Amino acid sequence: MSGSLGRVAAALLRWGRGAGGGGLRGPGVRAAGSGGGGSGSAEQLDALVKKDKVVVFLKGTPEQPQCGFSNAVVQILRLHGVRDYAAYNVLDDPQLRQGIKDYSNWPTIPQVYLDGEFVGGCDILLQMHQNGDLVEELKKLGIRSALLDEKKDQDSK
């Protein structure tokens, strides 16, 4: 991770810890189960990533991420007001953990999917957040970023 990405990720992690943690899970966030045996098959993974507009495979849950990168992804989604997404805890199922890596051909967790398409991990999502691409991608999904409302509020002051 480059220096500036690392600093922003560290700031997001500090911000997330200071936010009280209780508000991480919005009304639509589903900490989905891994689906049981054979959950690493390509067909099952294809169905999981296409089931919801926003899907995240992470270590832990949105309420209790088990690694800093997973926490950063949760915090970025929270900053944008993304409340309706499916979250799969890869620590619950070794087949899911390896299967999603094979499915995406991406070696690390967390992994983010928008409208069934693999976006990337924490570093990619953070970069998209910083350069404004995430706002545009969410808009394509019919999700209005909360950052747009925050910017509008600041402009009106």
Side-chain angles (χ1 to χ4, degrees), residues 87-98:
Y88 295 91
N89 182 358
V90 300
L91 297 178
D92 283 346
D93 186 344
Q95 287 180 315
L96 178 64
R97 185 176 187 171
Q98 187 57 49

